[in-house]
Amino acid sequence: MNSFAISLKIPPLLLLSPPPSAQLLNPSLSPFFLHTRILRATSRRFFGAVGVSLRTISTMENDKEIIGSQKQQIANLFEESLRAAFPDITDVQPLVAICNDPKHGDYQCNNAMSLWNKIKGKGTQFKGPQPVGKAIIENLPASEMIENCSIAGPGFVNIVLARQWIAKSLQKMLIDGIETWAPKLPVKRTVVDFSSPNIAKEMHVGHLRSTIIGDTLARMLEFSNVDVLRRNHVGDWGTQFGMLIEFLYEKFPNWEAGSAPAIGDLEVFYKASKQRFDNDAEFKERAQKAVVSLQGGDEKYRMAWAQICEISRKEFQKVYERLGVHLEEKGESFYNPYIPKALEMLNEKGLIEESEGARVIFIEGKKIPLIVVKRDGGFNYASTDLTALWYRLNEEKADWMIYVTDVGQREHFEMVFSAAKRAGWLPPNENDYPKASHVGFGLVLGEDGKRFRTRSTEVVKLVDLLDDAKKRCKAALEERGKTKDWTAEELEQTAEAVGYGAVKYADLKNNRLTNYTFNFDQMLSDKGNTAVYLLYAHARICSIIRKSGKDIEELKKSAAIDLAHPDERMLGLHLLQFAEIVEDACTNLSPHLVCEYLYNISEDFTKFYTNCQVVGSAEETSRLLLCEATAVVMRKCFHLLGITPVYKI
């Protein structure tokens, strides 16, 4: 076995038969699947309900059923208690949250005060919220999960989980795989619309944000056993194509006869055609007629359009391959044939009105209407987006449509969603399914606080940016003398994993709505909340297990975890919170929650390792298993974030 692959045995559920080189960095990823236009596998398990049935340790041994989040399991217990203690109140949901102060407990049930407000003055036997809280505790069903409960303040029920239950849950995860911790979401199929560059234009940092955020949302939902349709809604059917096609035929009249594409650098070609379009009225008129010919199905124009699109796709592919992202392209042109029917349905509902020569939908609270047919009779973004929404609901049967674009497009999507609600396509309550959500994000800024650009004020090419990150990582590894111990391939792959991972994590760790400053020095630092620090932390855990000389797979079968030390228990408790963190991140469409959790876990591990000797201690086998559980959770977090872990550094 290659020395870089290390002796650590990877859990079988993480191994997806990659080529040998891929095993050096991440056994769960295969480069054969990193292309943009593949269909997702249809064999999905669907889980419709959020709730999970209460399962004690004894029943957990029966199978590898997905048990949902720890918080949900606690909520199920308290739901039974609330029904037993207050049978006349039927609309009460358990309010379970992580305890703010770990000195008081692990979780809290916060129903007592709101229940008291409902029953006081109605002849109740209770004298205040504290007795209500006490009744909740007294009616809890027996469970190995909870060690004890206590009342604090105005009826808060503090919950301490049983140490043995935490340990057994970790052990079961190690045996059955972390997939058993997948959240249970109330959706079966989602469309995640992300990346979405414009054909013939360079992908910029805004597309980088959309691609990274969208891919992470898709990964989190896929982990939660949701069927995810990854959609690349590229701009491939706009006015600019008349301009580009006419310019192509002007510069290369016989381009079809050539064996090679006539267009070289498409970005340069686009700028030249745009300049011609803006400054030459006669050319502009020809370009506008070319659009009509293209949309009318003229074969000559369709051929030119297809070539331009294909050149763009190859450029986009370079970015997607580096990021390890796959999408299925269904651009604007795909929905064009469906637009007339969609508009007819909206018109039948009485939504479309004439206004200044255009056809529009007026949206309550908006000063400007949603234009669905322009004055010249042409379609636009609104008509395409409404049609795409209809298609995704009716043809693709999606429960949840998620659109990842910059915050500047928020109002546009608000108007589209409002029109769909008026048409009855979406329910009026935004929390009901099927639903549509806009995932906005802020700007990427340069050191000057302005939009991130090169010194020549050009938009930064994403391929160059990613390659620069890899180059810097490789230089840092060479400075650390890794060329002596590693092969050229090992060095290259580690630089790629860390470099690309650093760019992704620097983006994802921020609340997506905020702007952030792009700074290579900060994101490539091995200190603080960076991907480099976290990847190194994971590699150190793997090193501890290697140095022990123990077979971790055999330990999973023969040894047991015992969380006797407070720092062991705290680490174990936080590992079990993985599923609820992912669930919150999915529900709120907030990838930064996973980043926060990953960083906090690494800090918990550092505290544990500092205060609890592992190798050579009396508790070595138990602590090695706790190390492995930490590494498994970290690896899954890396996977959700689209980051390739390293096992040796």
Side-chain angles (χ1 to χ4, degrees), residues 14-57:
L14 291 177
L15 195 59
L16 300 179
S17 302
S21 60
Q23 296 182 37
L24 298 175
L25 295 175
N26 185 349
S28 69
L29 294 178
S30 167
F32 299 126
F33 294 99
L34 304 183
H35 56 86
T36 60
R37 305 180 69 195
I38 68 171
L39 294 171
R40 294 208 52 78
T42 56
S43 56
R44 283 281 180 192
R45 291 171 293 169
F46 295 145
F47 296 85
V50 176
V52 290
S53 58
L54 179 64
R55 293 163 56 82
T56 62
I57 291 300

Side-chain angles (χ1 to χ4, degrees), residues 205 209 442-453 514-519:
V205 288
R209 291 214 75 184
L443 298 174
V444 181
L445 306 177
E447 294 296 324
D448 57 359
K450 298 178 181 179
R451 194 186 292 264
F452 186 48
R453 296 180 183 274
T514 62
N515 301 337
Y516 80 93
T517 301
F518 192 95
N519 184 304

Side-chain angles (χ1 to χ4, degrees), residues 367-387:
K367 295 180 180 179
I368 302 173
L370 190 67
I371 300 172
V372 293
V373 182
K374 297 184 292 184
R375 292 178 186 176
D376 62 4
F379 302 134
N380 59 4
Y381 290 132
S383 44
T384 301
D385 286 335
L386 279 166
T387 303

Side-chain angles (χ1 to χ4, degrees), residues 292-305:
V292 176
S293 297
L294 171 65
Q295 296 183 349
D298 186 295
E299 185 62 27
K300 172 184 174 184
Y301 287 89
R302 284 295 180 101
M303 284 177 60
W305 170 77

Side-chain angles (χ1 to χ4, degrees), residues 337-354:
Y338 300 93
I339 291 177
K341 178 63 177 176
L343 295 184
E344 181 184 337
M345 287 187 285
L346 293 168
N347 192 49
E348 289 172 353
K349 297 278 187 178
L351 270 63
I352 298 178
E353 303 178 39
E354 296 290 333

Side-chain angles (χ1 to χ4, degrees), residues 622-639:
S622 168
R623 289 175 177 173
L624 283 172
L625 288 174
L626 186 55
C627 287
E628 173 68 358
T630 306
V632 168
V633 171
M634 290 186 74
R635 281 197 286 275
K636 183 53 70 174
C637 286
F638 285 136
H639 172 72

Side-chain angles (χ1 to χ4, degrees), residues 29 40 44-45 47 66 178-179 181-190 192 194 210-230 324 326 400 402 404 439 505 508-510 512 577-598 633 635-643:
L29 294 178
R40 294 208 52 78
R44 283 281 180 192
R45 291 171 293 169
F47 296 85
I66 293 175
I178 197 169
E179 282 72 18
W181 283 4
K184 292 189 174 184
L185 302 179
V187 291
K188 292 182 178 181
R189 174 174 288 180
T190 65
V192 183
F194 66 106
S210 177
T211 304
I212 291 172
I213 294 169
D215 180 57
T216 297
L217 293 175
R219 286 169 180 263
M220 293 192 305
L221 290 163
E222 287 161 350
F223 174 68
S224 304
N225 292 289
V226 176
D227 185 25
V228 179
L229 306 180
R230 294 162 164 259
H326 69 267
W400 195 6
I402 299 168
V404 186
V439 177
Y505 189 83
L508 293 169
K509 74 176 182 180
N510 301 284
R512 58 178 170 76
Q577 290 170 351
F578 167 76
E580 64 205 61
I581 296 298
V582 176
E583 184 174 340
D584 286 348
C586 288
T587 303
N588 299 307
L589 301 170
S590 298
H592 75 277
L593 296 176
V594 176
C595 296
E596 288 178 4
Y597 174 77
L598 178 58
V633 171
R635 281 197 286 275
K636 183 53 70 174
C637 286
F638 285 136
H639 172 72
L640 297 180
L641 299 172
I643 296 172

Side-chain angles (χ1 to χ4, degrees), residues 347-588:
N347 192 49
E348 289 172 353
K349 297 278 187 178
L351 270 63
I352 298 178
E353 303 178 39
E354 296 290 333
S355 177
E356 299 180 11
R359 301 183 72 196
V360 306
I361 299 175
F362 287 98
I363 306 295
E364 186 178 352
K366 303 294 183 183
K367 295 180 180 179
I368 302 173
L370 190 67
I371 300 172
V372 293
V373 182
K374 297 184 292 184
R375 292 178 186 176
D376 62 4
F379 302 134
N380 59 4
Y381 290 132
S383 44
T384 301
D385 286 335
L386 279 166
T387 303
L389 181 60
W390 176 88
Y391 185 90
R392 290 162 179 178
L393 283 165
N394 294 279
E395 298 296 326
E396 296 180 322
K397 308 297 183 185
D399 304 302
W400 195 6
M401 279 80 40
I402 299 168
Y403 297 78
V404 186
T405 73
D406 64 85
V407 292
Q409 297 187 47
R410 181 186 64 186
E411 186 172 45
H412 166 75
F413 282 105
E414 284 178 353
M415 295 174 74
V416 169
F417 301 160
S418 293
K421 288 176 183 177
R422 285 186 61 195
W425 297 355
L426 294 173
N429 187 338
E430 63 182 22
N431 293 320
D432 292 340
Y433 293 94
K435 68 177 182 179
S437 302
H438 177 242
V439 177
F441 54 82
L443 298 174
V444 181
L445 306 177
E447 294 296 324
D448 57 359
K450 298 178 181 179
R451 194 186 292 264
F452 186 48
R453 296 180 183 274
T454 62
R455 291 182 181 178
S456 61
T457 73
E458 294 291 331
V459 173
V460 178
K461 287 189 176 184
L462 296 193
V463 170
D464 295 342
L465 183 147
L466 292 168
D467 288 350
D468 194 8
K470 175 183 173 181
K471 181 180 177 182
R472 289 170 185 252
C473 278
K474 187 175 181 181
L477 290 169
E478 289 172 343
E479 287 177 11
R480 295 176 60 181
K482 297 301 179 183
T483 50
K484 298 177 183 178
D485 306 319
W486 294 359
T487 66
E489 184 183 19
E490 292 166 351
L491 188 67
E492 193 79 8
Q493 291 191 337
T494 305
E496 186 174 287
V498 178
Y500 298 165
V503 172
K504 288 186 177 185
Y505 189 83
D507 188 306
L508 293 169
K509 74 176 182 180
N510 301 284
N511 184 315
R512 58 178 170 76
L513 291 172
T514 62
N515 301 337
Y516 80 93
T517 301
F518 192 95
N519 184 304
F520 268 129
D521 291 336
Q522 289 180 6
M523 68 177 60
L524 296 174
S525 172
D526 59 2
K527 296 178 176 62
N529 189 11
T530 67
V532 182
Y533 168 77
L534 294 168
L535 288 166
Y536 286 11
H538 172 262
R540 282 194 293 272
I541 295 173
C542 296
S543 176
I544 293 166
I545 297 172
R546 286 200 306 275
K547 287 178 181 177
S548 74
K550 300 291 177 65
D551 186 328
I552 202 71
E553 294 301 319
E554 288 303 316
L555 289 185
K556 290 178 188 178
K557 301 172 187 175
S558 60
I561 298 176
D562 181 18
L563 307 174
H565 192 282
D567 291 332
E568 291 177 304
R569 185 189 182 281
M570 185 61 72
L571 176 58
L573 172 67
H574 289 170
L575 290 174
L576 255 64
Q577 290 170 351
F578 167 76
E580 64 205 61
I581 296 298
V582 176
E583 184 174 340
D584 286 348
C586 288
T587 303
N588 299 307

